[in-house]
């Protein structure tokens, strides 16, 4: 059976959009999506150059990802349905790209054209349930977008090797660099690229004779150069401090790292991810712990990787590239960089490599399925069941309440998940259930991201009118070292604004207002957002300190970006106060 290329592409896109169609109607997720929206609304005009060199400090450095969100804001006002559709479209694009990558690899390793194996590889990638989190979550676009550039890098790499063209290798290394600008963990693709370049290609002796040894080192140098450029730009861009890299290093090789413990965690999580790649069930948005029995699976995987290193053919190299990309996620486990230590979205990039290597390695089996009717029926039945699992997961992601109900059911002792469920209940008007959940959500002092739960617990107290209690809770958890420092400061200012209306005496009123001025000044100092100049001016105006108010309104008018909604009001207020000349 010969499959025509237009039919293959249309079918793959139809399957992808058909499976993920329910997600188009999903709302923004309360984890990260809301914070991203708030930052975009207050950011003003932003260029790609501004994102490449923000000249500040940062936790993540993903300029290309952020630029897609800026375009979402400027082109269609951050409509969630369109932003979800973009994620799905990117996944569809990656599915088609995977087809061409596998086609090129099959030709490289066998010298023959074959569309069945690439078709099955890309179809399985399209329907794999492990990809649902990265595609469904708007903030998870980082993995899907990075996947596009990793696939382009692989396509350029295989094509360059197959045709012995250095310009295609340059294209591959540049695509890899762009992947790093989407997600930091793409740097773990480099070892895999090196293994691919130096792999044995006994099935293609003609290419092996043409591809001289010195060219391998030259081509490897392109990827090393791209890595150097990435870290150089990152260093210049985050001149105020790279807290993301510092946190990762501190948790893995720093003074706080426990080598024996980290080794155990490494093996356990590596084994768990290996199982998840093959058997993704049960699926959960919050995976906080895994059984120690996965250490055995991790050890077996390490032994298998050693075997692949010794074998050193191109399929072994692609498989090891997938393991390398998966191992990047272990930094999150050891350093607790994200809200959950283990996540399904981290397997999106490894899934690309595993689908490529697995399909080519199973070429003989796929050929038999093509010719054997019984085997074909069994295979189609399995694919249908897997596709149904993906659809079911997408339906859960369609509603925040359903998602976090499922998450808490599978991780009942994880306070951040209970916090998100309370937010979802509150959004559905079930305020009493939400408040009970907030109040009974035990937040241990050692809990990572504890402050995130504190924010919502304080918000619940404030909604009950217990403003002083909410203020006290926030003040007790205000820590400059926390990544939630800015969010807690904002919440204190918000609670204080409500306390102002219920102040019992003029002295108490002035005290609250002066405290807010201090917090707003700290917010500007921490974020360098000129919007806080405007807020500080308003606060001083309420204190009847017109001199200070004028000076901050002038700063807001002068320093705010073009198009900022508060720029003209700040200018008018400064003019009315007699400070801004006509």
């Amino acid at each position: 059976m010969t499959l025509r290329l237009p039919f293959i592409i249309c079918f793959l896109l139809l399957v992808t959009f058909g499976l993920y169609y329910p997600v188009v109607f999903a709302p923004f997720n309360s984890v990260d999506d809301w914070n991203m929206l708030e930052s975009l609304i207050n950011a003003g005009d932003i260029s790609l150059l501004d994102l490449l060199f923000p000249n500040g400090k940062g936790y993540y450095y993903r300029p290309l990802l952020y630029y897609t969100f800026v375009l979402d804001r400027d082109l269609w006002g951050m409509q969630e349905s369109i932003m979800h559709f973009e994620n799905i479209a990117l996944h569809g694009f990656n599915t088609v790209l995977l087809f061409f990558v596998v086609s090129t690899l099959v030709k490289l390793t066998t010298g023959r054209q074959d569309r069945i194996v690439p078709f099955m590889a890309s179809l399985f990638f399209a329907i794999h349930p492990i990809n649902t989190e990265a595609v469904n979550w708007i903030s998870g676009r980082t993995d899907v977008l990075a996947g596009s550039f990793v696939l382009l890098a692989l396509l350029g790499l295989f094509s360059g090797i197959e045709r012995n063209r250095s310009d295609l290798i340059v294209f591959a290394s540049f695509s890899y660099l762009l992947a790093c600008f989407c997600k930091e963990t793409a740097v773990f693709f480099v070892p895999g690229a090196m293994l691919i370049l130096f792999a044995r290609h006994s099935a293609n002796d003609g290419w092996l004779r043409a591809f001289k040894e010195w060219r391998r080192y030259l081509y490897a140098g392109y990827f090393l150069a791209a890595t150097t450029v990435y870290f150089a730009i990152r260093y210049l861009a985050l001149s105020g401090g790279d807290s993301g890299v510092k946190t990762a290093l501190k948790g893995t090789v720093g003074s706080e790292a426990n080598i024996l413990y980290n080794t155990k965690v490494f093996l356990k999580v590596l084994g768990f991810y290996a199982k998840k790649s093959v058997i993704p069930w049960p699926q959960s948005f919050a995976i906080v712990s895994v059984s120690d029995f996965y250490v055995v699976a991790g050890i077996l995987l390490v032994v298998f990787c050693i075997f692949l290193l010794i074998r050193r053919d191109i399929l072994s190299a692609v498989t090891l590239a997938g393991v390398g990309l998966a191992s990047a996620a272990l930094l999150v486990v050891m350093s607790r960089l994200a809200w959950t230590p283990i996540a399904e979205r981290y397997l999106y990039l490894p899934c690309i490599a595993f689908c490529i290597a697995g399909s080519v390695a199973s070429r003989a089996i796929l050929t038999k399925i093509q010719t054997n009717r019984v085997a074909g029926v069994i295979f189609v039945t399995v694919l249908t069941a897997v596709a149904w699992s993906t659809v079911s997961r997408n339906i859960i992601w369609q509603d925040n309440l359903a998602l976090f109900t499922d998450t808490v059911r599978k991780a009942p002792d994880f306070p951040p998940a209970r916090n998100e469920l309370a937010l979802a209940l509150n959004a559905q008007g079930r305020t009493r259930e939400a408040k009970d959940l907030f109040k009974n959500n035990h937040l241990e002092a050692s809990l990572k991201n504890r402050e995130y739960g504190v924010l919502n617990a304080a918000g619940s107290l404030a909604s009950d009118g217990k403003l002083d209690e909410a203020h006290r809770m926030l003040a007790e958890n205000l820590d400059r070292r926390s990544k939630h420092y800015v969010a807690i400061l904002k919440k204190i200012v918000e609670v204080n604004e409500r306390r102002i209306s219920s102040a019992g005496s003029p002295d108490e009123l002035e005290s609250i207002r002066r405290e807010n001025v201090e917090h707003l000044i700290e917010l500007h100092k921490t974020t360098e957002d000129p919007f806080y100049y405007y807020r500080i001016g308003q606060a001083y105006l309420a204190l009847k300190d017109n001199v200070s108010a004028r000076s901050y309104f002038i700063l807001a008018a002068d320093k705010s970006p073009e198009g900022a909604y508060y720029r003209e009001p700040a200018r008018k207020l400064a003019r009315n106060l007699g400070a801004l000349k006509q």
Side-chain angles (χ1 to χ4, degrees):
M1 180 178 68
T2 302
L3 298 176
R4 294 185 177 182
L5 185 60
F7 168 81
I8 291 173
I9 294 174
C10 290
F11 183 81
L12 291 174
L13 291 176
L14 181 64
V15 167
T16 303
F17 284 101
L19 292 176
Y20 283 91
Y21 174 74
V23 187
V24 174
F25 305 100
F28 289 113
N29 195 295
S30 55
V31 179
D32 289 349
D33 283 356
W34 291 351
N35 290 334
M36 178 262 293
L37 289 172
E38 182 182 358
S39 64
L40 285 171
I41 290 171
N42 294 325
D45 294 335
I46 304 176
S47 68
L48 182 56
L49 187 62
D50 294 330
L51 291 171
L52 278 173
F53 299 101
N55 296 321
K57 58 185 178 180
Y59 198 73
Y60 297 118
Y61 178 64
R62 300 168 178 176
L64 279 186
L65 170 71
Y66 297 148
Y67 194 60
T68 67
F69 291 141
V70 171
L71 291 176
D72 286 331
R73 182 199 65 181
D74 295 343
L75 293 177
W76 31 73
M78 295 181 294
Q79 288 291 325
E80 61 262 46
S81 58
I82 298 178
M83 295 175 78
H84 278 299
F85 181 82
E86 287 175 317
N87 277 24
I88 300 169
L90 275 173
H91 185 52
F93 175 70
N94 291 349
T95 299
V96 174
L97 262 182
L98 186 65
F99 171 84
F100 289 107
V101 170
V102 179
S103 297
T104 306
L105 179 58
V106 169
K107 185 178 179 182
L108 172 63
T109 55
T110 66
R112 296 189 300 271
Q113 296 280 3
D114 185 349
R115 288 182 177 172
I116 294 296
V117 172
F119 173 69
M120 298 311 300
S122 50
L123 179 61
F124 191 70
F125 178 74
I127 68 175
H128 201 311
I130 205 65
N131 294 328
T132 54
E133 183 174 306
V135 179
N136 291 335
W137 191 14
I138 291 176
S139 295
R141 184 184 298 176
T142 181
D143 294 276
V144 186
L145 189 61
S148 299
F149 291 110
V150 167
L151 279 162
L152 287 171
L154 284 168
L155 183 60
L157 192 57
F158 293 149
S159 299
I161 292 173
E162 196 263 329
R163 302 178 189 180
N164 194 18
R165 285 178 51 180
S166 61
D167 58 330
L168 291 174
I169 306 296
V170 171
F171 169 79
S173 60
F174 181 69
S175 297
Y176 150 72
L177 175 62
L178 295 181
C180 294
F181 286 143
C182 299
K183 187 168 186 178
E184 304 84 351
T185 54
V187 297
F188 285 80
F189 174 70
V190 168
M194 300 298 171
L195 290 170
I196 291 170
L197 285 170
F198 288 93
R200 297 190 185 101
H201 298 267
S202 55
N204 197 340
D205 293 333
W207 172 85
L208 188 59
R209 289 194 300 270
F211 190 53
K212 297 180 180 179
E213 195 70 23
W214 68 270
R215 283 186 176 272
R216 299 185 187 225
Y217 292 101
L218 175 64
Y219 294 166
Y222 295 154
F223 283 91
L224 293 177
T227 305
T228 303
V229 168
Y230 167 71
F231 279 107
I233 293 177
R234 183 185 177 104
Y235 176 78
L236 293 173
L238 302 178
S239 55
D242 192 340
S243 55
V245 170
K246 289 179 181 177
T247 303
L249 292 176
K250 183 172 65 175
T252 52
V253 297
S255 57
E256 297 181 9
N258 185 319
I259 302 301
L260 290 177
Y261 173 78
N262 282 353
T263 301
K264 176 186 173 182
V265 170
F266 177 88
L267 293 171
K268 180 169 64 173
V269 178
L270 200 62
F272 178 75
Y273 277 145
K275 173 262 177 185
K276 268 283 189 180
S277 298
V278 181
I279 306 173
W281 307 283
Q283 292 187 264
S284 175
F285 189 35
I287 305 172
V288 295
S289 63
V290 297
S291 171
D292 287 344
F293 288 112
Y294 282 106
V295 171
V296 176
I299 293 172
L300 292 175
L301 182 59
V302 170
V303 172
F304 180 61
C305 288
I306 294 172
F307 166 76
L308 294 178
L309 280 170
I310 296 172
R311 184 180 174 87
R312 221 187 81 194
D313 62 4
I314 197 164
L315 290 184
S316 300
V318 174
T319 305
L320 288 169
V323 175
L325 288 167
S327 66
L330 300 177
L331 294 176
V332 180
V333 181
M334 297 173 186
S335 305
R336 303 300 297 269
L337 290 165
W339 89 295
T340 55
I342 306 168
E344 294 169 357
R345 63 187 177 278
Y346 300 147
L347 287 175
Y348 189 89
L349 293 179
C351 187
I352 291 172
F354 297 149
C355 284
I356 294 171
S359 62
V360 178
S362 306
R363 184 173 181 272
I365 299 174
L366 292 176
T367 302
K368 184 177 181 180
I369 290 172
Q370 181 187 359
T371 56
N372 188 303
R373 182 171 296 181
V374 175
V377 170
I378 295 173
F379 188 70
V380 170
T381 302
V382 172
L383 284 182
T384 303
V386 172
W388 176 249
S389 175
T390 296
V391 171
S392 301
R393 192 65 188 162
N394 291 341
I395 292 173
I396 288 177
W397 269 90
Q398 192 180 29
D399 177 69
N400 281 338
L401 182 56
L403 174 64
F404 289 111
T405 298
D406 175 79
T407 304
V408 170
R409 179 173 61 85
K410 294 172 180 174
D413 298 325
F414 186 51
R418 293 166 60 84
N419 177 75
E420 300 305 323
L421 176 58
L423 290 174
L425 287 167
N426 191 62
Q428 294 287 336
R430 296 162 63 174
T431 54
R432 177 169 294 181
E433 294 173 76
K435 288 178 181 178
D436 289 342
L437 199 51
F438 278 134
K439 292 174 183 176
N440 297 319
N441 198 16
H442 181 59
L443 302 167
E444 297 178 1
S446 60
L447 179 67
K448 188 71 175 180
N449 289 334
R450 177 180 183 272
E451 297 91 343
Y452 189 59
V454 168
L455 281 165
N456 292 296
S460 178
L461 288 171
S463 67
D464 284 344
K466 300 176 181 179
L467 299 174
D468 290 338
E469 190 175 341
H471 176 269
R472 184 166 53 254
M473 176 182 288
L474 292 166
E476 289 173 352
N477 288 276
L478 191 60
D479 184 352
R480 284 185 173 84
R481 298 167 298 178
S482 168
K483 70 176 184 178
H484 297 287
Y485 178 60
V486 169
I488 291 181
L489 275 175
K490 289 180 180 179
K491 196 69 176 180
I492 292 177
V493 170
E494 177 188 326
V495 169
N496 277 347
E497 287 172 349
R498 294 185 58 185
R499 291 174 69 209
I500 285 171
S501 61
S502 59
S505 66
D507 289 342
E508 182 184 359
L509 178 64
E510 183 172 353
S511 175
I512 297 172
R513 282 177 169 163
R514 291 201 176 278
E515 181 188 332
N516 256 10
V517 168
E518 293 176 5
H519 290 322
L520 288 168
I521 291 173
E522 179 65 17
L523 279 167
H524 174 263
K525 179 181 176 182
T526 305
T527 66
E528 299 181 356
D529 186 347
F531 172 64
Y532 289 109
Y533 284 137
Y534 181 65
R535 295 286 306 277
I536 296 167
Q538 290 179 315
Y540 273 123
L541 196 61
L543 285 167
K544 299 181 181 180
D545 186 346
N546 291 344
V547 174
S548 297
R550 285 199 306 266
S551 65
Y552 277 102
F553 285 136
I554 292 172
L555 285 170
D558 290 345
K559 302 294 184 180
S560 60
E562 291 289 342
Y565 73 92
Y566 59 88
R567 186 174 192 178
E568 191 56 32
R571 193 184 305 276
K572 288 181 179 179
L573 284 166
R575 184 185 299 118
N576 291 340
L577 290 170
L580 196 62
K581 295 182 179 180
Q582 298 292 335

